[in-house]
Amino acid sequence: MQAPGRPREFDPDETLMKIMQLFWENGYEATGLSDIVAVTGLGKASLYKAFGNKHQMYLRALSHYESLMIDTAVAVLRSKDAAPLDRIDAFLSAPIVAVRDHKDRRGCFLCNAAADRASLDSDTASLVERGYAKLRKALTRTLSEAFPEGASEKIAVRAEVVLTIYSGLRIMSRAAQTAEMMTATKTEIIVMMGLI
């Protein structure tokens, strides 16, 4: 039996995951400390001691998302298990798969943070740019494999367009767009770009 006054033990990684899910789904402003207390089951003092204030919790949650989701996307783009354009297609299909197969309309936490907080908070902006830079670099490398004779400037522009399409599809998913329309949009754009 726990001694009186002794803080309850908890798993920091599991708790951070819960905090991340909350910010990812609701955004910064719509997530209150009372929501974090409710979802984690921890008191304010324990949360502050482990994760800092709400702003610090948000930054840690966004950084955790980067290590879980962005780094995974980068690994898929860099994988040699599929042809370069197939990897690009898988990357662009991820928002559609999330909606179609998992009914997941949270979008991308990184994209959400770009719209939600980046213009208001330099710390968030730095994390957003770091995440996008990782994706941009991986996309550039993959497109360079697909178009080895392509000029580096054109490859860089294509990478930026692909990243913009991805972000747009993630936003479309939050706006309750159908998976069918998202698929049609993705296909039309990549055909226009000459990626297929």
Side-chain angles (χ1 to χ4, degrees):
M1 191 169 181
Q2 186 170 296
R6 181 180 172 187
R8 187 173 69 178
E9 292 183 7
F10 65 95
D11 182 333
D13 292 334
E14 182 181 323
T15 302
L16 184 57
M17 181 68 78
K18 291 176 180 177
I19 294 170
M20 182 193 80
Q21 299 284 356
L22 198 58
F23 280 125
W24 181 2
E25 185 165 350
N26 300 328
Y28 184 83
E29 293 299 336
T31 301
L33 188 57
S34 59
D35 301 311
I36 298 171
V37 167
V39 80
T40 62
L42 297 174
K44 293 180 183 179
S46 295
L47 284 167
Y48 284 144
K49 184 176 181 181
F51 303 105
N53 60 26
K54 177 184 168 179
H55 177 249
Q56 292 166 319
M57 288 182 212
Y58 181 80
L59 295 176
R60 287 187 63 173
L62 186 56
S63 184
H64 192 56
Y65 179 88
E66 178 188 338
S67 65
L68 289 177
M69 306 298 288
I70 302 303
D71 290 352
T72 298
V74 166
V76 169
L77 285 166
R78 290 182 173 176
S79 171
K80 300 300 183 184
D81 294 339
L85 291 183
D86 290 338
R87 285 178 260 150
I88 296 286
D89 185 66
F91 174 71
L92 290 175
S93 296
I96 299 165
V97 170
V99 170
R100 185 191 64 217
D101 298 350
H102 308 291
K103 311 302 181 207
D104 183 352
R105 292 195 172 276
R106 294 172 296 175
C108 163
F109 189 9
L110 185 73
C111 302
N112 299 349
D116 183 30
R117 293 288 301 163
S119 65
L120 305 172
D121 171 42
S122 60
D123 293 328
T124 300
S126 294
L127 287 177
V128 166
E129 182 47 43
R130 186 174 74 186
Y132 275 135
K134 286 182 177 182
L135 292 173
R136 192 177 291 114
K137 183 178 179 181
L139 287 166
T140 300
R141 180 175 171 178
T142 305
L143 286 166
S144 295
E145 290 179 49
F147 303 99
E149 304 304 319
S152 59
E153 297 83 3
K154 187 172 183 179
I155 293 293
V157 170
R158 281 187 170 185
E160 201 65 41
V161 171
V162 171
L163 188 54
T164 301
I165 296 167
Y166 172 82
S167 299
L169 289 170
R170 287 294 191 182
I171 291 168
M172 287 173 71
S173 73
R174 285 185 68 86
Q177 187 58 265
T178 66
E180 291 75 18
M181 181 55 71
M182 291 169 66
T183 300
T185 301
K186 181 201 80 167
T187 302
E188 183 67 21
I189 294 174
I190 63 176
V191 167
M192 289 169 58
M193 288 180 62
L195 292 179
I196 61 172

